[in-house]
């Protein structure tokens, strides 16, 4: 089904199920420990052997030799996978670094061996006996040192409009500042894990992966087998945040290991390995120049960004955040990519937009102050209903409404002025604001729906639920379309034997996959019509388990006389066209306290006001947004993979030394969604909201710290050591 | 994790006799640190003696008006004990500032004193570490050192001791009681319990092989205002960047010790004499011999300002 915009009135508009606050239907399974995660599939492979990964001890270079004798002879050991017995491997379309290293080493903790044994403990003990002799190579690890050698990249082409240089020179008020953001780890709760089972030349992997079809294709490509021979199963995923968009070493090594020992093998990436073995959000250096007229109209915007990755990798495309953000005719957007020998950089929640939003939204705060204009007002003044990057109107842009609603709900008028003027006990108190702007992409997504004789409606699609609430919104969609109660819908996800969905990533999952189920349900409704001989011209009304064409009303189950009714459908967004710009918007407000003595920074409260058209489920949408806000708080205050440029690795590679927020860091969060539909976006008349939570929130925290202390830190995370030297003497 | 054998001891005497003369043996109680280190092969004992059944889980009054805390008293039980809360508030506060509820339920008093450092290079067995592997070098010096020590360190090791409890014990002049395989016992003032790293950072305490901590005794209460101030990036479940344990008297005199700065709880009695002059003078004396790295120089100022916060709290 092609999406023809604008979406006309359709059954989703009834709003009996879609749009209602609905607790997640998979919640009881998760809270009782009965949702089965990748490492836990006991019944599919009761005889599974255990693999333990050995990571490279050097960041670059070559393996001279292995000494595997002691490990091979250790109790319980079945065999050891290395590049020497793995056979030739391909490189997945979405991988930069090979998932099994050797003889060449591409990065620290790249997998070089998988020790397989009868028990996990035996595999781990034997892994400690694997001896690898390396010839360490040369490498470069510091982005700041490689900045000048960084190149333009096709992955994020430069662009310009008007004449930035002369407009900026003429601007009455301007800023020219450089911002830095850190390397971030996804640090999802469930580590990467896979069970691999071969039956003849057919491979089934139970693997924690956000994108089932991409994963199936890349596993096949890496193993040099046909994709038809690979089945990937991932019904439950304990968080991914982009770190599980692509196939990782656990899947490939489990498959290689299972082939080698001729029995199922399970592999989990051990936590201290994950930080350097997998991928991370690359650090950035960003220069922002903004020029405005004396009365506060932005005339010139330049955003230059630098990041690094392995040879052949991609940039952290931070200019994305500035491109659609604010008016200003004269623009310059530049992305430069350096080669670094660190682990592979890749997508993490709102890639590009998130670090980019730190730079542009702090810069906006700085310029607002220079102009003497309230930062909410300054953003409102420079709002635009046309994307200044491509000249197309936004399908829906309610940024001004989000800012104004938020200011009113948050009590923005009480923001301390001037900075560093409010004290509450031991705390200096400040408030900050930032806009949240994030693309609203939609992509092809298919589903199969089946009305069974019991009256149950089964939905099958290879969509994943990475903790986002996919199960629930897909069930809501199907229930709405067929006029059934939610409990009568069973959703089955995350299996490559199901129709190919959009998968979970880039904020496209919710709108695309619900639209795919919508499309399948439209087909099923037609089959019901035919089965019951209802009026072909009339509009059907599916409600309360019955269907009516206006003259006759029949129970749905009457349509099942000849057996279950099944339909497949696919939504195709190509026809959505490129005459609009599709984005989602929000505003973040944060109140912060900074300890007057120690400069410890503590969040006091946070508010996000978001708009993405129709919100399919306010409960799960809220969870998405507050989760993003929490992760953004981590980026603002804590999270920093520290590069040790002598060793060529991220030094703090466990969860004790890479700190993410805990409950006490997030005392109070609120999330408000504006009402309204976006019929240009999808038949569901809404877009995903997940990344609005993380875009801009770190900047709002930085701006609040400035408001509290009068100290502007342009290097995130903002930790107390960066404030101490400038902290006022406590009185 | 290397394979190991395991047995249970029934009494302290049984435990030390089981350990006597054996190499690569470790006592295990809560195991909250040791097991993690074994999984990473940072600790590689070949034999474990479980002492959790040795009965050392009581808190009893001593003859001179103090308390004797059995080595197996959990961090949770110790923090919650009404006598500790009343007379040794700094200890109770330090305990609850550490770890998480689950860990404090399992962690013991003796084990807490013997925690190993959280230096990231100690934790990565590919890295040189004189503490983990004698004479292998120190990758932390010149590396990522934001969390690491500024004073009492050496050119062989800049690790810190991670315990909060031990900082409070140091300010309270606790005494560590031990038992030896020959039946002898020792009472070691906590000021003498830890060894500075020097050239041998793998030696962390004065405990001898097979010597077991049986109790920690606290002298009789000294009154005063008891404050434990722990500074960290996140609000909970993080090791101290800097902490201050202090017992301050109404006349402005007092004691204080710091965590997060040194390989052991850092207390300099001469610095305490300067408390009436304010935080700056006392902190400067405390850190007179500091040798910070570029990455942790901020701890000097932070320690001074944290002490100032403690003094302000005591006045309020």
């Amino acid at each position: 089904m092609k999406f023809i915009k604008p979406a006309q009135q359709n059954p989703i508009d009834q709003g009996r199920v879609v749009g209602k606050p609905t607790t997640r239907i998979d919640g009881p399974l998760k809270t009782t420990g009965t949702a089965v995660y990748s490492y836990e599939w006991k019944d599919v492979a009761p005889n599974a052997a255990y693999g333990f990964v050995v990571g490279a001890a050097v960041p670059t270079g070559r393996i001279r030799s292995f000494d595997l004798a002691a490990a091979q002879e250790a109790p319980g050991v079945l065999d050891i996978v290395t590049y020497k017995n793995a056979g030739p491997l391909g490189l997945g379309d979405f991988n930069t670094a090979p998932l099994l290293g050797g003889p060449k080493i591409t990065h620290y903790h790249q997998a070089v061996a998988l020790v397989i044994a009868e028990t996990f403990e035996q595999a781990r003990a034997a892994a400690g006996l694997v001896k690898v002799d390396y010839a360490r190579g040369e490498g470069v690890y510091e982005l700041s040192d490689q900045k000048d050698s960084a190149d333009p990249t096709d992955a994020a082409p430069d662009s310009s409009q008007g004449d930035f240089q002369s407009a900026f020179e003429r601007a009455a008020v301007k800023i020219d500042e450089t911002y830095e953001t850190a390397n971030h780890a996804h640090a999802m709760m469930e580590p990467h894990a896979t069970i691999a089972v071969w039956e003849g030349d057919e491979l089934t992997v139970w693997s924690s992966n956000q994108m089932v079809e991409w994963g199936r294709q890349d596993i096949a490509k890496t193993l040099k087998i046909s994709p038809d021979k690979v089945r990937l199963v991932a019904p439950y995923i304990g968080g991914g945040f982009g770190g599980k968009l692509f196939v990782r070493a656990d899947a490939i090594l489990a498959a290689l290991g299972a082939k080698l020992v001729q029995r199922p093998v399970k592999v989990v990436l051990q936590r201290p390995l994950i930080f350097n073995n997998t991928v991370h959000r690359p650090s950035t250096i960003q220069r922002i120049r903004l020029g405005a007229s004396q009365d506060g109209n932005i005339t010139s915007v330049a955003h230059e960004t630098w990041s690094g990755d392995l040879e052949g990798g991609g940039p952290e495309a931070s200019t994305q955040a500035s491109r659609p953000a604010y008016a200003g005719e004269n623009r310059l957007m530049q992305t430069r990519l350096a080669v670094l020998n660190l682990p592979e950089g890749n997508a993490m929640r709102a890639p590009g937009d998130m670090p980019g939003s730190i730079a542009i939204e702090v810069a906006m705060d700085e310029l607002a102050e220079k102009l003497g204009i309230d930062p909410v007002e300054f953003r409102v003044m420079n709002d635009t209903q046309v994307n200044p990057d491509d000249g197309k109107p936004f399908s829906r842009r309610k940024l001004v409404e989000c800012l104004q609603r938020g200011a009113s709900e948050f009590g923005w008028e009480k923001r301390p002025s001037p900075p560093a003027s409010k004290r509450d006990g031991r705390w200096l108190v400040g408030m900050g604001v930032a806009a949240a702007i994030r693309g609203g992409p939609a992509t092809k997504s298919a589903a199969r729906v089946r009305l069974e004789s019991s009256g149950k409606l089964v939905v099958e699609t290879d969509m994943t639920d990475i903790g986002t609430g996919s199960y629930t919104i897909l069930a809501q969609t199907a229930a709405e379309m067929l006029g059934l109660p939610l409990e009568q819908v069973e959703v089955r996800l995350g299996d490559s034997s199901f129709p190919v969905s959009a998968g979970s990533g880039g904020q496209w999952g919710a709108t695309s996959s619900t639209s795919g189920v919508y499309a399948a349900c439209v087909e099923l409704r037609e089959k019901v019509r035919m089965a019951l001989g209802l009026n072909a011209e009339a509009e059907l009304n599916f409600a309360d388990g019955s269907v009516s064409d206006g003259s006759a009303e029949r129970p749905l189950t009457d349509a099942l006389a000849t057996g279950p009714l099944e339909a497949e459908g696919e939504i195709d967004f190509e026809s959505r066209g490129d005459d609009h710009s599709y984005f989602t918007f929000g505003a973040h407000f944060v109140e912060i306290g900074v300890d007057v003595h120690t400069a410890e920074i503590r969040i006091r409260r946070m508010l996000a006001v978001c708009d993405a058209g129709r919100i399919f489920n306010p409960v799960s949408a809220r969870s998405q947004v507050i989760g993003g806000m929490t992760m953004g708080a981590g980026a603002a205050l804590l999270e920093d993979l520290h590069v040790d440029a002598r060793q060529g690795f991220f030094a703090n590679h466990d969860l004790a030394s890479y700190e993410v927020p805990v409950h006490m860091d997030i005392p109070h969060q609120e999330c408000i969604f504006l009402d309204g539909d976006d019929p240009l976006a999808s038949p569901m008349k809404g877009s995903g909201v997940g990344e609005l939570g993380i875009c801009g929130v770190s900047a709002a925290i930085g701006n609040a710290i400035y408001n509290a202390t009068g100290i502007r830190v342009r290097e995130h995370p903002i930790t107390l050591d960066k404030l101490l030297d400038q902290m006022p003497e406590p009185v | 994790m290397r394979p190991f054998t395991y047995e249970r001891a029934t009494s302290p005497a049984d435990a030390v006799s089981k350990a006597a003369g054996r190499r690569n043996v470790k006592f295990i109680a809560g195991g909250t640190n040791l097991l993690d280190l074994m999984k990473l092969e940072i600790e590689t004992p070949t034999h474990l003696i479980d002492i959790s059944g040795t009965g050392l889980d009581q808190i009893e009054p001593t003859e001179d008006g103090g308390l004797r805390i059995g080595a197996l008293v959990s961090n949770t039980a110790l923090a919650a004990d009404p006598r500790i809360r009343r007379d040794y508030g700094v200890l109770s506060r330090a305990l609850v500032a550490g770890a998480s509820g689950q860990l404090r339920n399992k962690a013991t008093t003796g084990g807490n004193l013997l925690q190993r450092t959280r230096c990231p290079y100690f934790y990565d067995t590919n890295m040189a570490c004189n503490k983990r592997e004698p004479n292998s070098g120190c990758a932390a010096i010149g590396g990522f050192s934001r969390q690491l020590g500024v004073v009492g360190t050496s050119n062989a090791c800049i690790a810190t001791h991670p315990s909060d409890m031990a900082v409070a014990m140091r300010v309270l002049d606790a005494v560590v009681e031990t038992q030896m395989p020959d039946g002898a016992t020792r009472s070691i003032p906590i000021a003498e319990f830890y060894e500075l790293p020097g050239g041998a950072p793998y030696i962390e305490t004065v405990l001898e092989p097979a010597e077991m901590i049986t109790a920690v005794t606290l002298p009789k209460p000294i009154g005063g205002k008891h404050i434990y101030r722990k500074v960290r990036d996140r609000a909970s479940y993080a090791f101290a960047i800097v902490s201050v344990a202090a017992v301050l008297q109404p006349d402005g005199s007092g004691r204080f010790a710091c965590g997060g700065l040194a390989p052991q709880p850092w207390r300099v009695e001469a610095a305490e004499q300067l408390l009436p002059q304010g935080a700056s003078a006392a902190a400067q004396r405390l850190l007179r011999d500091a040798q910070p790295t570029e990455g942790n120089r901020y701890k000097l100022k932070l320690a001074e300002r944290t002490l100032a916060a403690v003094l302000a709290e005591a006045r309020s």
Side-chain angles (χ1 to χ4, degrees):
Chain A
M1 172 189 284
K2 284 189 188 312
F3 169 55
I4 308 296
K5 74 180 182 187
Q8 301 302 307
Q9 179 157 12
N10 67 45
I12 300 297
D13 294 325
Q14 299 169 104
R16 288 179 301 206
V17 194
V18 171
K20 288 277 185 295
T22 308
T23 55
R24 61 185 67 204
I25 58 178
D26 48 325
L29 292 176
K30 290 181 174 171
T31 51
T32 56
T34 43
V36 181
Y37 290 84
S38 291
Y39 203 64
E40 303 172 336
W41 290 92
K42 294 196 177 71
D43 52 333
V44 302
N47 61 334
Y50 290 78
F52 195 88
V53 179
V54 178
V58 297
T60 63
R62 295 178 66 80
I63 295 173
R64 280 202 207 98
S65 63
F66 286 103
D67 177 357
L68 303 178
Q72 289 277 20
E73 285 157 23
V77 170
L78 299 169
D79 213 332
I80 301 171
V81 177
T82 70
Y83 78 90
K84 295 198 164 189
N85 62 5
L89 296 177
L91 185 66
D93 287 343
F94 293 103
N95 294 128
T96 304
L99 297 173
L100 176 62
K104 187 180 176 214
I105 299 301
T106 314
H107 61 87
Y108 189 77
H109 272 174
Q110 183 180 30
V112 296
L114 182 78
V115 180
I116 305 158
E118 294 287 347
T119 70
F120 173 78
E121 289 75 14
Q122 288 170 333
R124 181 172 59 187
L129 301 172
V130 169
K131 292 197 172 47
V132 189
D133 182 25
Y134 299 97
R136 186 178 161 169
E138 298 293 309
V140 291
Y141 309 100
E142 286 283 11
L143 175 61
S144 54
D145 293 346
Q146 303 306 315
K147 190 170 166 253
D148 295 337
S149 66
D151 290 320
T153 162
D154 292 341
D158 296 347
S159 69
S160 64
Q161 282 109 10
D163 181 351
F164 168 78
Q165 204 59 43
S166 62
F168 184 68
E169 276 163 22
R170 285 197 314 273
V173 183
K174 52 186 130 185
I175 62 139
D176 177 356
E177 297 293 353
T178 298
Y179 305 88
E180 293 183 33
T181 64
N183 295 290
H184 295 147
H186 303 81
M188 70 294 281
M189 194 177 291
E190 182 205 19
H192 305 263
T194 298
I195 298 176
V197 178
W198 289 93
E199 285 167 292
D201 61 352
E202 296 192 350
L203 171 68
T204 304
V205 290
W206 287 260
S207 187
S208 191
N209 191 298
Q210 297 173 230
M211 298 291 296
V212 167
E213 178 60 14
W214 292 1
R216 185 175 77 100
Q217 295 289 344
D218 261 3
I219 288 170
K221 192 168 179 196
T222 308
L223 298 175
K224 294 182 180 284
I225 59 177
S226 162
D228 299 339
K229 302 291 187 188
V230 179
R231 179 176 165 220
L232 195 162
V233 188
Y236 297 103
I237 293 161
F241 311 126
K244 294 176 183 166
L245 285 170
F246 314 126
V247 174
R248 302 256 65 91
D250 54 304
I252 297 304
L253 291 175
L256 291 171
K259 183 136 239 179
L260 184 65
V261 303
Q262 303 267 301
R263 69 189 250 203
V265 166
K266 56 200 287 183
V267 176
V268 60
L269 298 187
Q270 54 268 31
R271 184 68 70 178
L273 190 83
I274 289 176
F275 295 79
N276 285 284
N277 174 270
T278 68
V279 289
H280 62 280
R281 183 204 300 283
S283 66
T284 67
I285 300 171
Q286 303 177 55
R287 181 186 184 198
I288 302 272
R289 284 173 286 172
L290 294 176
S293 62
Q294 197 66 58
D295 54 2
N297 291 310
I298 296 174
T299 58
S300 44
V301 181
H303 190 159
E304 297 158 85
T305 185
W306 291 262
S307 62
D309 201 358
L310 292 167
E311 186 82 53
E316 185 70 16
S318 309
T319 66
Q320 274 170 211
S322 293
R323 289 174 181 273
Y326 300 104
E329 289 177 356
N330 303 288
R331 311 173 77 84
L332 174 67
M333 300 288 152
Q334 264 183 18
T335 304
R336 295 291 176 269
L337 177 62
V339 173
L340 296 177
N341 300 100
L342 288 170
E344 179 176 333
N346 218 313
M348 181 168 153
R349 223 164 158 182
D353 300 280
M354 185 274 174
S357 71
I358 292 178
I360 184 65
E361 291 296 324
V362 175
M364 287 292 285
D365 204 63
E366 299 206 50
L367 186 55
E369 188 183 45
K370 228 169 172 177
L371 286 158
I373 301 175
D374 178 274
V376 170
E377 178 56 25
F378 182 50
R379 287 173 171 85
V380 170
M381 284 171 65
N382 287 286
D383 184 52
T384 170
Q385 291 297 310
V386 173
N387 185 343
D389 192 50
D390 59 16
K392 295 171 190 168
F394 291 104
S395 69
R396 179 178 166 96
R397 175 173 168 127
K398 301 285 179 194
L399 176 60
V400 168
E401 290 82 348
C402 291
L403 285 162
Q404 290 173 339
R405 174 82 182 274
S408 145
E409 299 277 345
F410 198 69
W412 180 251
E413 74 282 359
K414 298 199 191 80
R415 184 176 79 120
S417 179
S421 61
K422 183 172 177 193
R423 176 99 178 250
D424 176 10
R426 56 183 261 219
W427 302 101
L428 299 168
V429 179
M431 291 186 195
V433 66
I437 304 175
R438 168 71 173 152
T443 185
K444 200 181 268 192
S445 196
R448 180 161 59 224
V449 289
R450 187 168 57 253
L451 199 51
E452 298 191 336
S453 48
S454 62
K456 185 165 78 174
L457 180 66
V458 175
V459 179
E460 291 173 335
T461 166
D462 82 356
M463 180 62 186
T464 49
D465 189 324
I466 57 176
T468 39
S470 308
Y471 277 105
T472 311
I473 59 171
L474 296 181
Q476 288 174 276
T477 303
E480 193 77 83
M481 291 298 289
L482 272 299
L484 293 170
L486 198 61
E487 308 78 70
Q488 232 163 298
V489 181
E490 180 183 328
V491 180
R492 299 176 186 162
L493 298 183
D495 188 325
S496 62
S497 65
F498 299 154
V500 175
S501 73
S504 297
Q507 199 172 264
W508 63 62
T511 194
S512 306
S513 66
T514 52
S515 297
V517 169
Y518 168 91
C521 288
V522 168
E523 301 293 329
L524 185 61
R525 286 164 60 108
E526 282 311 301
K527 288 196 171 173
V528 169
R529 182 202 300 269
M530 288 190 284
L532 295 175
L534 295 170
N535 183 348
E537 303 303 316
E539 199 155 304
L540 298 183
N541 180 29
F542 287 72
D544 304 324
S546 296
V547 54
S548 156
D549 62 1
S551 52
E553 178 169 326
R554 305 275 299 277
L556 261 189
T557 42
D558 283 7
L560 305 173
T562 58
L565 279 186
E566 184 175 282
E568 256 188 70
E570 182 181 63
I571 192 78
D572 177 351
F573 283 97
E574 261 176 52
S575 51
R576 189 165 84 162
D578 58 1
D579 53 341
H580 284 93
S581 252
Y582 298 92
F583 279 82
T584 61
F585 296 88
H588 287 287
F589 293 81
V590 175
E591 184 180 275
I592 211 108
V594 179
D595 186 281
V596 67
H597 283 100
T598 63
E600 286 164 287
I601 305 157
R602 297 290 181 258
I603 292 169
R604 293 158 70 99
R605 52 194 186 103
M606 308 173 87
L607 166 68
V609 181
C610 297
D611 180 75
R614 175 178 281 145
I615 299 300
F616 310 143
N617 179 357
V619 172
S620 56
R622 176 181 182 277
S623 290
Q624 281 298 97
V625 172
I626 66 174
M629 290 158 77
T630 303
M631 197 174 249
L637 300 175
L638 300 166
E639 297 184 41
D640 188 351
L641 285 168
H642 286 274
V643 176
D644 181 325
R646 299 164 321 154
Q647 310 290 350
F649 78 144
F650 297 126
N652 50 331
H653 56 75
D654 62 29
L655 287 176
S657 53
Y658 183 85
E659 292 179 10
V660 298
V662 296
H663 283 92
M664 273 184 72
D665 292 297
I666 313 289
H668 184 83
Q669 282 178 320
E670 213 179 319
C671 172
I672 295 169
F673 295 107
L674 299 186
D675 291 329
D677 297 338
D678 185 355
L680 299 175
S682 70
M684 301 295 292
K685 301 182 183 173
S687 294
V689 294
E691 309 300 30
L692 284 177
I694 198 170
C695 290
V697 70
S698 310
I701 291 169
N703 295 338
I705 291 170
Y706 175 75
N707 183 244
T709 62
I711 304 168
R712 183 70 74 181
V713 178
R714 299 185 181 86
E715 188 189 332
H716 281 229
I718 303 174
T719 46
L720 57 85
D721 45 309
K722 296 172 188 170
L723 293 174
L724 267 182
D725 281 341
Q726 299 173 67
M727 283 291 283
E729 283 307 310
V731 283
Chain B
M1 184 185 264
R2 304 268 176 88
F4 59 92
T5 51
Y6 168 93
E7 67 184 320
R8 292 191 175 121
T10 55
S11 67
D14 183 36
V16 294
S17 75
K18 283 184 158 79
R22 294 187 73 145
R23 297 184 59 217
N24 263 340
V25 60
K26 284 265 177 190
F27 299 122
I28 184 166
T32 56
N33 194 204
L34 180 59
L35 285 177
D36 285 353
L37 294 171
M38 287 170 65
K39 289 174 186 172
L40 297 168
E41 299 201 356
I42 295 163
E43 294 271 15
T44 53
T46 52
H47 186 64
L48 290 184
I49 299 167
D50 187 336
I51 58 169
S52 51
T54 56
L56 304 169
D57 57 355
Q58 297 300 308
I59 304 174
E60 298 158 334
T62 61
E63 283 177 6
D64 53 3
L67 287 176
R68 184 172 190 277
I69 303 157
L72 296 175
V73 172
S74 75
N75 289 179
T76 298
L78 184 59
D81 186 273
R83 295 161 292 182
I84 298 291
R85 287 165 54 112
R86 185 186 64 219
D87 297 328
Y88 307 95
V90 65
L91 177 57
S92 187
R93 292 184 181 114
L95 281 160
V96 297
S100 66
Q102 293 94 326
L103 287 167
R104 292 194 297 268
N105 287 343
K106 196 81 183 132
T108 63
T109 305
N112 191 316
L113 290 174
L114 298 177
Q115 281 180 78
R116 310 292 309 273
T117 184
R118 292 284 167 166
C119 173
Y121 299 90
F122 175 74
Y123 265 81
D124 187 332
T125 50
N126 292 324
M127 296 293 137
C129 175
N130 289 320
K131 189 182 273 300
R132 174 170 29 79
E133 184 75 41
N135 307 313
S136 61
C138 174
I141 294 174
F144 167 53
S145 60
R146 181 174 181 270
Q147 282 279 351
L148 301 179
V150 296
V151 68
T153 52
S154 73
N155 59 13
C157 184
I158 58 171
T160 55
H161 194 267
S163 171
D164 294 296
M165 184 198 81
V167 183
M169 292 289 195
R170 177 72 180 87
V171 92
L172 292 169
D173 283 333
V175 175
V176 181
E177 295 186 4
T178 70
Q179 178 147 2
M180 316 276 259
D182 63 2
T185 59
R186 289 208 285 171
S187 295
I188 310 165
I190 193 163
E192 297 162 19
F193 181 73
Y194 293 106
E195 298 264 37
L196 286 176
Y202 45 90
I203 300 172
E204 295 178 354
T205 70
V206 299
L207 289 176
E208 293 186 8
E211 184 175 12
M212 179 180 135
I213 299 174
T214 52
V216 179
T217 57
L218 298 174
K220 71 175 187 211
I222 56 170
K225 200 150 189 173
H226 287 232
I227 296 171
Y228 189 74
R229 180 66 190 274
K230 180 175 183 177
V231 178
R232 43 187 161 179
D233 293 319
R234 77 177 166 194
S236 177
Y237 199 40
F239 294 95
I241 301 172
V242 167
S243 70
V244 173
V247 180
L248 300 165
Q249 304 298 339
D251 64 0
S253 68
R255 308 171 175 184
F256 73 102
C258 286
L261 298 176
Q264 61 190 49
W266 200 247
R267 181 177 172 195
V268 174
E269 277 77 353
E272 293 172 356
Q273 305 304 317
L274 301 174
L275 275 177
Q277 296 177 35
S280 180
Q284 278 176 32
R285 179 64 189 84
L286 180 85
L287 298 168
R288 193 181 63 183
D289 303 320
Q291 289 190 301
T293 67
E294 278 316 301
N296 64 22
R297 185 175 301 280
Y298 73 97
K299 285 192 174 189
L300 305 183
K301 178 168 261 188
L302 181 60
E304 178 186 326
R305 293 184 71 116
T306 309
L307 182 58
V310 167
L311 297 182
E313 187 183 335
R315 282 192 302 271
S316 66

